[in-house]
């Protein structure tokens, strides 16, 4: 079950041992597979205030392979900043526009040091902020606040205007569409 209590989610997570992480990774794996729109999930989102999260492999999404991160940290943020339109399982009904680094260097106890690009870098930053008690609504521009996920939202690109369901809007925003 996904935690939506903002007070709990705003707490900074604690260090997690490898032994503790095994159970949490299993629960994260089971929970994320229940949410087809999810690309990442952190331990606080399932009720554990521990420094653990998973993100899907963005280069082969059809495999549904998860990258596991234990006690991660961001080592370096590259200079290229991109707009990111994000939702969050713990904040249903919200879409938020944020500025994210397109390339980051990260390190954790499972993978060592790695360079992440594009969507993987953005997902890492999102989940990493969960570990630090930071929610997207705290740092970004709220563009949609809607509890009716079946509502239609009017969007445009070039001279074309269309209506799309709120729950499918993310892929349009990632492809240059804007909300009217």
């Amino acid at each position: 079950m996904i935690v939506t209590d903002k007070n709990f989610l705003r707490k900074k997570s604690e260090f997690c041992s490898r032994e503790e992480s095994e159970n949490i990774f299993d629960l994260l794996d089971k929970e994320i597979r229940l949410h087809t729109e999810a690309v990442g999930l952190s331990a606080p989102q399932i009720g554990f205030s521990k420094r653990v999260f998973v993100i899907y492999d963005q280069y082969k999404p059809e495999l549904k392979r998860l990258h596991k991160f234990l006690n991660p940290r961001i080592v370096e943020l590259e200079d290229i900043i991109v707009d990111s339109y994000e939702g969050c399982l713990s904040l249903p009904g919200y879409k938020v526009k944020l500025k994210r680094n397109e390339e980051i260097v990260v390190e954790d106890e499972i993978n060592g040091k790695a360079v992440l690009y594009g969507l993987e870098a953005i997902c890492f930053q999102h989940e990493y902020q969960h570990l630090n008690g930071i929610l997207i609504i705290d740092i970004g521009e709220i563009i949609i606040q809607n509890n009716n996920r079946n509502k239609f939202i009017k969007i445009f690109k070039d001279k074309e205007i269309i209506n799309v369901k709120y729950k499918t809007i993310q892929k349009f925003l990632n492809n240059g569409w804007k909300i009217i």
Side-chain angles (χ1 to χ4, degrees):
M1 189 163 123
I2 299 296
V3 172
T4 57
D5 178 352
K6 293 180 186 105
N7 291 326
F8 178 81
L9 293 167
R10 285 189 171 115
K11 293 179 184 174
K12 189 169 181 172
S13 297
E14 301 170 358
F15 174 86
C16 187
S17 70
R18 280 192 183 263
E19 296 77 35
E20 282 180 293
S21 73
E22 290 175 18
N23 181 47
I24 296 171
F25 281 130
D26 286 343
L27 294 170
L28 286 168
D29 185 312
K30 289 174 184 161
E31 189 67 37
I32 196 170
R33 294 180 193 282
L34 298 175
H35 304 277
T36 56
E37 72 275 21
V39 291
L41 191 63
S42 68
Q45 291 179 275
I46 61 167
F48 295 89
S49 190
K50 295 293 181 177
R51 300 191 70 75
V52 174
F53 66 78
V54 296
I55 60 174
Y56 275 120
D57 182 334
Q58 302 304 312
Y59 301 105
K60 294 186 180 179
E62 69 279 2
L63 298 179
K64 295 288 187 185
R65 186 174 68 185
L66 290 172
H67 292 291
K68 300 175 180 180
F69 295 93
L70 174 60
N71 300 313
R73 66 186 190 97
I74 295 176
V75 176
E76 186 177 341
L77 297 168
E78 298 299 329
D79 293 338
I80 301 171
I81 306 293
V82 295
D83 286 336
S84 178
Y85 295 88
E86 301 177 23
C88 182
L89 292 175
S90 292
L91 300 167
Y94 285 93
K95 284 290 179 196
V96 178
K97 180 181 177 182
L98 299 116
K99 300 287 187 191
R100 296 281 193 201
N101 296 80
E102 189 173 41
E103 181 180 327
I104 60 176
V105 180
V106 302
E107 188 172 32
D108 80 298
E109 294 182 22
I110 294 173
N111 307 291
K113 197 179 257 190
V115 178
L116 302 180
Y117 305 91
L119 189 54
E120 276 193 328
I122 290 168
C123 292
F124 186 99
Q125 291 167 81
H126 179 111
E127 300 308 331
Y128 183 76
Q129 286 176 327
H130 272 298
L131 304 184
N132 292 316
I134 300 168
L135 304 177
I136 58 173
I137 58 173
D138 298 332
I139 59 170
E141 174 190 349
I142 297 172
I143 56 174
I144 297 175
Q145 183 176 352
N146 180 356
N147 292 328
N148 182 356
R149 294 176 55 84
N150 290 317
K151 181 180 176 183
F152 282 88
I153 306 293
K154 192 174 281 195
I155 60 174
F156 72 95
K157 183 178 180 181
D158 301 324
K159 295 181 180 176
E160 187 176 1
I161 297 175
I162 61 173
N163 286 309
V164 295
K165 276 194 173 182
Y166 167 79
K167 63 184 177 181
T168 62
I169 198 166
Q170 185 67 50
K171 62 184 164 189
F172 289 95
L173 295 175
N174 288 343
N175 288 308
W177 290 81
K178 305 286 184 209
I179 296 173
I180 294 180

